[in-house]
Amino acid sequence: MTFPGRFSSLPDYVFPRLRKLLDGRAPGAEPFDMTIGEPRHGMPDFVAEIMAEEVGGFARYPKNEGTEALREAIAGWLGRRYGAALDPDSQIISLNGSREGLFHAALALCPEEKAGQRPAILTPNPFYGAYTLGAPVLGADLHFVSATEETGYLPRFDALPEELLQRTALVYVGSPSNPHGAVASMDYWEALLGLAERHGFTVLADECYSEIYRDVPPPGAFEAMQRAGTDPERLVVFNSLSKRSNLPGLRAGFAAGGKDAIARMKLLRAWGGAPLPGPIQAVAARAWSDETHVEGNRLLYRQKYDLADEIFGEVPGYAPPEAGFFLWLPVDDGEDAAIRAWEGQGLRILPGAYFARGDADGVLPGTGRVRVAMVAPVDDLRGALHRLRDVLYD
Ligand SMILES: Cc1ncc(COP(=O)(O)O)c(C=O)c1O
């Protein structure tokens, strides 16, 4: 059996890679996991009740694009949060979490050619893994754009050569970003959408951490689009309930954007996708309509930001996360630090380079970083962060 070569450069996913690194090494204390971005605060209390009421929905094929109630709830939330006026029928599609949509959007939206050449897909570097998979499937050029301390942790797409921008079809960008916790300002979004309009590419804006922040809500790409008056087809926004509502297992996300783009995504999904089960759509509709549980959740994250600032504030190079729930801590070498954290204190953290690829100059961003997920309840996290500081910085 011969497997396709197009994925041969794809490394193991980050978690098996860490297992390989740590296998055979004994933890120095009771193991404590800070790798996966899986929220461990309680899920909203209405979930079980709605699932029970709607259980009959499992006997029917669900709607590909999402029920009217769900799409209306999402449009309502986008309106309240960003002042965006989106048509629930033509501008929103429900997804099984945002990850599948981030991947499938590339298949649905990347043309075979751009400006008569092989199209390019741009991604920040470091990045969230789903941004990188469409390009090898499509035979497009995947171009990594550094998002490091030097660039303010966000990619500087505007500094790219004209030749590359002309053949750019899609640009992935996350805000708040994983792994850095950086927030794109309104100016950043406006400039990026302006660039998209000038060069005819589509921005795929991953905003799944948008509700996990300190005090000020991160601006969204839809807000910038309205201000700048850019063509709605230049933008598709992704979000989900995984982080906002502590429901990563529900697999309930959405994409929203220009009518043509969403129509392309619906078409592909109708032929080969898996719609979100009806009862789950009902829970999701309720969750997007409720902010009380989201505010309660944010209060808990605020305590964690304070805790992290207090514990790591004196560490040279510590960049307090603006939003999201990851710490992106400076170390000499990420793999060495992950081994020391495990062997010294039983703490599992991820080497930063696992979220990056070597760029054209041979630089691997994230080598001097580790990613630490602050998802555990604050009382459990406190001790773990103190142990982490001791093992990494004392
Ligand atoms: C940056 C980013 N985007 C998207 C996702 C996908 O989340 P979901 O598919 O649960 O919506 C994640 C999950 O960790 C993420 O970190």
Side-chain angles (χ1 to χ4, degrees), residues 35-284:
T35 58
I36 191 166
E38 179 186 74
R40 299 206 206 118
H41 301 160
M43 57 184 181
D45 51 14
F46 48 76
V47 174
E49 191 186 314
I50 298 180
M51 281 297 278
E53 277 167 18
E54 300 286 332
V55 70
F58 285 122
R60 290 187 294 279
Y61 275 119
K63 274 195 152 180
N64 178 43
E65 63 271 27
T67 59
E68 219 174 296
L70 174 55
R71 284 177 287 113
E72 275 171 8
I74 293 168
W77 181 76
L78 287 166
R80 290 189 298 280
R81 176 69 167 82
Y82 300 118
L86 291 155
D87 172 21
D89 286 339
S90 59
Q91 293 191 274
I92 291 171
I93 179 171
S94 75
L95 301 169
N96 291 285
S98 55
R99 181 164 72 170
E100 62 109 342
L102 287 161
F103 165 56
H104 283 111
L107 309 191
L109 303 179
C110 186
E112 284 81 6
E113 280 196 348
K114 176 83 193 300
Q117 302 173 72
R118 213 158 104 110
I121 298 180
L122 311 186
T123 170
N125 194 24
F127 50 80
Y128 177 64
Y131 307 162
T132 63
L133 205 59
V137 173
L138 295 158
D141 271 349
L142 184 59
H143 195 92
F144 295 96
V145 186
S146 280
T148 57
E149 191 176 354
E150 291 73 39
T151 70
Y153 300 106
L154 288 166
R156 294 282 318 275
F157 297 112
D158 55 352
L160 294 173
E162 194 69 15
E163 169 279 321
L164 175 59
L165 289 169
Q166 268 173 17
R167 60 191 177 87
T168 294
L170 301 175
V171 170
Y172 284 99
V173 61
S175 173
S177 69
N178 170 10
H180 334 68
V183 169
S185 66
M186 193 73 86
D187 286 350
Y188 182 96
W189 281 125
E190 275 191 47
L192 180 57
L193 290 170
L195 205 63
E197 207 149 69
R198 272 200 300 292
H199 294 281
F201 60 75
T202 301
V203 175
L204 304 178
D206 178 0
E207 298 187 351
C208 77
Y209 292 93
S210 66
E211 304 315 290
I212 315 292
Y213 56 83
R214 289 174 185 251
D215 302 308
V216 183
F222 277 132
E223 282 171 291
M225 193 186 80
Q226 291 166 92
R227 278 196 183 204
T230 34
D231 176 356
E233 292 301 330
R234 302 274 65 94
L235 177 66
V236 180
V237 170
F238 298 81
N239 210 322
S240 87
L241 296 172
S242 300
K243 324 290 178 184
R244 173 188 180 272
S245 301
N246 304 319
L247 289 168
L250 196 72
R251 309 308 303 133
F254 70 81
K259 291 183 178 159
D260 294 347
I262 297 299
R264 298 303 302 177
M265 290 177 69
K266 280 183 185 170
L267 178 69
L268 234 66
R269 228 157 165 275
W271 283 94
L276 202 58
I280 289 178
Q281 297 198 37
V283 174

